[in-house]
Structures are given as structure tokens and as C-alpha cells.
Amino acid sequence: MEPQAKRRKEMDKCDAWDVLPVLSDEKSRDTELLPAYAAPIIEKRQTSRLVKELSLIHPLPSLQHIKRVRACKDKSTPHPLEVIVCLARDVEVIDCKEVRLSDLIPSQSFDSSGLGEPFLVKIPANPPLTRPQFEKASKHWPTSFHEDKQVTSAIRGQLFTADQKAKMQRYMATAVEAATLAREMGMDAVGAVIVDPESEEIVAVAHDCKRGSHPLHHAVMVCIDLVACGQGGGAYNYEKYPACQFSSSESFRNACNGKETGLPYICTGYDLYVTREPCVMCAMALVHSRINRVFYGVPSADGALGTKYKIHCQKDLNHHFEVFKGVMLNTCEALDKK
């Protein structure tokens, strides 16, 4: 019973923080709205014809996500449906409060029977990419939405199980210990850990060393170099920093041998846990080393994975990885306050 109680206590600690995704600007932006004119469809049987003719007169090629017709929200009105006539920017109207169909559509080219007088609405300018965007967009006008359920779970903080969060806590706790030792040595309190998620083995542990050996030796840079050291490479020696270590286990050496023949990049398939959001230099090093995923604790003012930039979302890069924030947030925040 005692081990189970201890494990339950650890799980409770994990529930105190959430693992949240750092999404692209397109997926995290607020819903942008466009003013448009809609009109009630008084005769429901005319719907098909009206939609077809309106689509020819006022096509909406950049708004394929918009459904042209919606059910009337006000159930007390006699008409059941409403249709988008055109975007407000596509017509010249002197007084938008007294707009008539003839102001929006040339009468000689359109049979307006079955259609009521227009009114202003706001419609979503962009297709929703996430569940929150879809829910906000739908409050204004119906849109199509192809949901990525993994993204939805991630946004809700439900992507990872309690067991997975417990493992994350163990990895980040190791990074926190390294950061604490760095502070005791007069360096920035930042720690990093690289993990092989398949074997669940910690491949390398590092902390900030830039004040002690080299100005570019941020914790992430040291951690990547230590992985290279474990693979028979590496550019620097970290003997004077006992907390900065790489794995020398047999399973790690076997994995490295496989990498030499089939996967040539240093961190292919590995995950990074770091107490503070990486800078641009470290973020680009993670791209070049082909990291799999990045988990960080606390954001940084100059952070390149969510705060100031989103390097991992740059479409023109030849490698992309997932980024999550918030792991042991309060503990990582405390490192900067001591």
C-alpha cells in the first residue's frame, strides 16, 4: 500500500500543472471577421436557385469554409433561412442602414423573388483550424471544420495520461536539479535533459555553462553536444561540470550505432526537457539536430518557441518538431527567483 500511496501523491503533484501545446500563429490567432450582407430567404423552395445565382453574381472564392446559407437564429421570424448575398467590401453603398437588394445586385440580372431585404452580418475571414476557433466562428456564421482531435486534446491539456505526466515530471526534475547546481556555481539556473522516449532513458543532462567556459554554452547547446559526445563526437569537454553528463549504457551505444547507418542526425527521435524556453540560437540548434519534441517549463522574454518567435512553426525549415510548455511550471519559475 505504501508504494501505491506514494505514487498517488506524485500523480497529484502532476495535476498541478498542464502540458499545453505551442501552436502556430494560424492555429492560435483570434477569429477575424469580415462584414457582409445577408438576406432572409422568405420562400424556402427558392433556396437552391438563389444560392446558385448569388454564387455567379457574387462568388466567394477565398471563403470556401463559409456555408452560404444558415438557419435563422431568431425562431420568432417567419423565414427559416438566411443567405449571404455579398461581402460589404465588394459593393459601394452610401447609407448602410438603408441598403436594399437593388443596391447589391443588378436587378436586370437577378430574380429576387423569395428573398427579403438585406442586413449586415459578420462572417469568419479564415477557416477554423482548432476547436476554439471553430466555436468562436460558429457564433457568427456556420463554417466547415476538419478537426484534428489530437490538437483539441492538447489545447484542453488532455493529450497526455497521468502516467506520461509522471514521466515528464521525472525528466524535468532532473533538469531542475542540474539548473540548481548551475546556480550554485554562479551560472544561470537553466537545466536541460534529452530523453530517448522509446527506451525512456535519459541520454544527456546539462546546465548553463556560458559564464564558466564559453558564451555560447547555453544549457540546450551543451546538452546537444553531450549527445554527440555519447555518439563518439562532440566539440567540448565538460569535466569541470560534473552534472553535465551523457549516457554510456549499452542500449544507448546500440542506438547510436543504428543512427550511424540509418539516422545520421544527432537527436533524431529524442525529446528535450528544459526548464526555460530556448532562445533563437538553441531553437535552431534543435532544428539542425532533428529533435523530436521539446517540453519546457517557463517562458522566456526572448524565447524562440512561443514567446517572441515560433521557430518550430516556420514553414520553410526542413525539419519541424512539436513544442509543449508548462511542465512543472511553478518549480521552473522558482529557479529564476532564488
Side-chain angles (χ1 to χ4, degrees):
M1 290 296 293
E2 185 177 349
Q4 291 180 352
K6 184 177 181 181
R7 179 169 176 169
R8 193 177 298 111
K9 187 176 180 180
E10 290 299 316
M11 294 296 184
D12 291 341
K13 290 181 181 178
C14 293
D15 290 337
W17 45 267
D18 292 317
V19 191
L20 299 175
V22 180
L23 302 174
S24 64
D25 289 340
E26 290 81 4
K27 290 182 178 179
S28 55
R29 66 189 172 192
D30 200 5
T31 302
E32 181 185 351
L33 300 174
L34 290 174
Y37 286 103
I41 298 177
I42 299 172
E43 297 181 24
K44 191 174 182 179
R45 62 182 180 177
Q46 300 281 355
T47 301
S48 180
R49 177 188 64 81
L50 289 170
V51 169
K52 184 177 180 180
E53 293 184 13
L54 286 172
S55 297
L56 291 174
I57 298 169
H58 287 300
L60 304 174
S62 62
L63 300 171
Q64 296 298 312
H65 58 286
I66 294 293
K67 296 182 179 180
R68 194 103 192 192
V69 177
R70 74 174 179 184
C72 183
K73 291 185 175 181
D74 187 355
K75 302 302 180 183
S76 65
T77 58
H79 59 275
L81 302 173
E82 295 170 341
V83 61
I84 294 176
V85 177
C86 63
L87 294 178
R89 68 189 183 194
D90 292 340
V91 293
E92 293 184 10
V93 177
I94 297 175
D95 187 356
C96 63
K97 294 181 180 180
E98 297 183 3
V99 178
R100 306 189 71 81
L101 275 176
S102 57
D103 297 323
L104 307 179
I105 307 170
S107 57
Q108 66 272 19
S109 62
F110 180 68
D111 178 5
S112 62
S113 59
L115 201 60
E117 291 302 325
F119 55 92
L120 268 174
V121 295
K122 290 186 177 181
I123 61 176
N126 303 296
L129 302 176
T130 65
R131 170 62 60 175
Q133 287 179 342
F134 173 66
E135 290 174 351
K136 287 183 180 180
S138 298
K139 291 179 181 179
H140 298 277
W141 196 274
T143 67
S144 59
F145 175 51
H146 303 287
E147 184 173 18
D148 185 331
K149 293 186 177 181
Q150 180 170 309
V151 172
T152 300
S153 296
I155 291 173
R156 293 173 176 170
Q158 300 171 348
L159 182 60
F160 301 101
T161 66
D163 283 340
Q164 288 172 322
K165 286 185 67 177
K167 291 173 185 176
M168 291 177 189
Q169 179 156 312
R170 178 167 63 88
Y171 300 141
M172 188 63 83
T174 302
V176 169
E177 290 175 8
T180 303
L181 291 173
R183 184 180 57 231
E184 292 173 356
M185 298 177 71
M187 289 171 280
D188 289 351
V190 183
V193 170
I194 289 180
V195 177
D196 182 348
E198 289 189 8
S199 66
E200 300 182 1
E201 181 178 1
I202 292 177
V203 174
V205 181
H207 58 64
D208 178 86
C209 298
K210 62 180 179 289
R211 295 185 184 179
S213 57
H214 195 288
L216 300 184
H217 281 176
H218 295 199
V220 171
M221 300 295 287
V222 174
C223 211
I224 293 172
D225 194 44
L226 284 167
V227 176
C229 289
Q231 297 174 2
Y236 297 93
N237 186 298
Y238 304 97
E239 287 184 356
K240 62 180 180 179
Y241 306 112
C244 296
Q245 301 176 352
F246 61 86
S247 174
S248 57
S249 69
E250 184 177 352
S251 61
F252 177 63
R253 288 196 299 271
N254 292 336
C256 291
N257 291 333
K259 285 177 178 286
E260 290 175 4
T261 58
L263 300 172
Y265 296 101
I266 295 171
C267 294
T268 299
Y270 292 160
D271 294 340
L272 169 75
Y273 290 80
V274 58
T275 57
R276 186 191 299 172
E277 180 185 357
C279 65
V280 172
M281 175 184 70
C282 293
M284 285 305 301
L286 292 167
V287 172
H288 292 307
S289 63
R290 302 299 194 270
I291 200 72
N292 180 42
R293 296 180 299 182
V294 173
F295 299 85
Y296 66 81
V298 64
S300 172
D302 294 322
L305 296 181
T307 302
K308 192 170 185 179
Y309 306 104
K310 294 181 179 179
I311 296 295
H312 62 296
C313 296
Q314 296 298 312
K315 294 180 180 179
D316 55 346
L317 294 178
N318 60 0
H319 176 70
H320 298 89
F321 50 85
E322 294 179 305
V323 177
F324 298 89
K325 64 181 179 180
V327 180
M328 293 183 66
L329 175 62
N330 294 336
T331 302
C332 292
E333 281 181 339
L335 288 169
D336 292 331
K337 297 176 183 178
K338 293 180 180 180

